[in-house]
């Protein structure tokens, strides 16, 4: 299984189920099931209770899951000090690390450190931050993550006004001729996926619509496809 984001084209449609929506008493079997359902990535939301108003899980959980899965671990650091913690998460098993422009650490230094650790780097932004805030860093990134909810909690409603931000990134990426993935996270399901894909996204983060689909995870992934 491919664990290097650079080996995918930004024209490939990829599914990254969000672990936040899984049954935490059954994590091992649930990620096995979601891989069998056809997901290419596993989205791991790390929250510190400071940059976002919630606390999720950290290094020990990712380290434990790494031994159970060959999925590409798509680690989203919603934390205030990504530069300080990046190495710990890569050693735990992250294949890709995304951090926020709103964090306290220097963005350029954080990207450089993530690449030094041998994995791909992504940047994300909250709904209130304009797309242009990330433009100075685009040439050094493999992924942009557009949040279509306020980060911190799963199960929120999709914010349609963020679709224009996806289109802005797509246009700028095309202008530069880069193979940068555009990932979207927040309220993504069969009804909202078409709009973000049409705008230019190619990686769909979906929690509730996959892990809690009434007909099972395979049906959830198939509905997104």
């Amino acid at each position: 299984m491919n664990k290097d984001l650079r080996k995918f084209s930004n024209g490939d449609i990829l599914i990254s189920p969000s672990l936040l929506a899984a049954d935490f008493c059954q994590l091992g079997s649930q990620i096995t099931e979601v891989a069998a359902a056809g997901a290419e990535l596993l989205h791991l939301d790390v929250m510190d209770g400071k940059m976002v108003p919630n606390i999720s899980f950290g290094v020990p959980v990712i380290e434990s899951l790494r031994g159970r899965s060959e999925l590409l671990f798509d680690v989203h650091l919603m934390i205030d000090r990504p530069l300080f913690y990046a190495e710990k998460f890569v050693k735990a098993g992250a294949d890709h690390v995304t951090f926020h422009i709103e964090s306290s650490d220097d963005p350029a230094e954080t990207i450089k450190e993530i690449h030094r650790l041998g994995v791909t780097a992504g940047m994300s932004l909250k709904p209130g931050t304009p797309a242009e805030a990330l433009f100075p860093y685009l040439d050094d990134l493999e992924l942009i993550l557009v949040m279509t909810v306020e980060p911190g909690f799963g199960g929120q409603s999709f914010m349609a006004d963020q679709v224009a931000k996806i289109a802005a990134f797509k246009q700028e990426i095309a202008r530069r001729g880069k193979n940068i993935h555009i990932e979207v996270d927040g309220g993504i399901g069969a009804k909202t996926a078409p709009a973000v894909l049409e705008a230019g996204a190619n990686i769909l983060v979906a929690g509730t619509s996959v892990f809690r689909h009434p007909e099972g995870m395979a049906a959830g992934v198939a509905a997104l496809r």
Side-chain angles (χ1 to χ4, degrees):
M1 189 170 286
N2 179 20
K3 294 201 291 183
D4 186 344
L5 193 62
R6 291 165 294 194
K7 293 181 180 178
F8 290 110
S9 163
N10 64 0
D12 297 329
I13 306 302
L14 309 174
I15 308 297
S16 187
S18 175
L19 195 73
L20 277 184
D23 179 348
F24 274 58
C25 287
Q26 307 290 336
L27 286 184
S29 61
Q30 293 233 315
I31 63 170
T32 298
E33 186 176 345
V34 86
E40 292 87 4
L41 300 83
L42 184 67
H43 194 77
L44 299 155
D45 286 308
V46 178
M47 308 178 194
D48 64 357
K50 184 175 182 181
M51 207 203 80
V52 295
N54 197 10
I55 295 173
S56 58
F57 50 80
V59 167
V61 169
I62 294 172
E63 199 169 41
S64 296
L65 293 176
R66 182 75 280 174
R68 295 290 299 268
S69 177
E70 288 300 312
L71 285 170
L72 193 162
F73 276 16
D74 170 23
V75 176
H76 179 192
L77 297 181
M78 287 183 267
I79 65 176
D80 191 54
R81 298 294 311 281
L83 179 59
F84 179 79
Y85 286 102
E87 185 169 7
K88 300 180 192 306
F89 284 99
V90 172
K91 285 183 175 178
D95 300 301
H96 168 84
V97 175
T98 293
F99 69 98
H100 273 258
I101 185 72
E102 298 90 358
S103 70
S104 294
D105 288 332
D106 178 79
E109 289 300 314
T110 304
I111 294 167
K112 189 184 298 183
E113 172 66 2
I114 293 168
H115 285 152
R116 185 192 71 78
L117 294 166
V119 301
T120 51
M123 283 184 74
S124 186
L125 67 174
K126 293 181 179 181
T129 303
E132 291 75 15
L134 269 62
F135 283 8
Y137 309 102
L138 277 181
D139 288 341
D140 297 317
L141 296 169
E142 285 79 32
L143 179 147
I144 294 293
L145 170 55
V146 176
M147 297 298 300
T148 45
V149 297
E150 286 293 343
F153 296 91
Q156 297 183 64
S157 297
F158 177 76
M159 298 171 69
D161 61 347
Q162 297 301 301
V163 173
K165 196 179 288 183
I166 299 167
F169 279 123
K170 184 67 175 180
Q171 183 177 13
E172 183 64 16
I173 289 166
R175 187 186 72 79
R176 300 186 189 204
K178 296 287 185 177
N179 183 45
I180 302 169
H181 298 273
I182 300 177
E183 184 174 54
V184 184
D185 183 2
I188 300 299
K191 291 181 179 179
T192 55
V196 301
L197 293 172
E198 186 176 351
N202 74 296
I203 303 180
L204 303 176
V205 176
T208 302
S209 63
V210 171
F211 280 106
R212 302 183 190 179
H213 193 283
E215 296 173 23
M217 296 178 208
V221 170
L224 289 172
R225 296 283 185 208

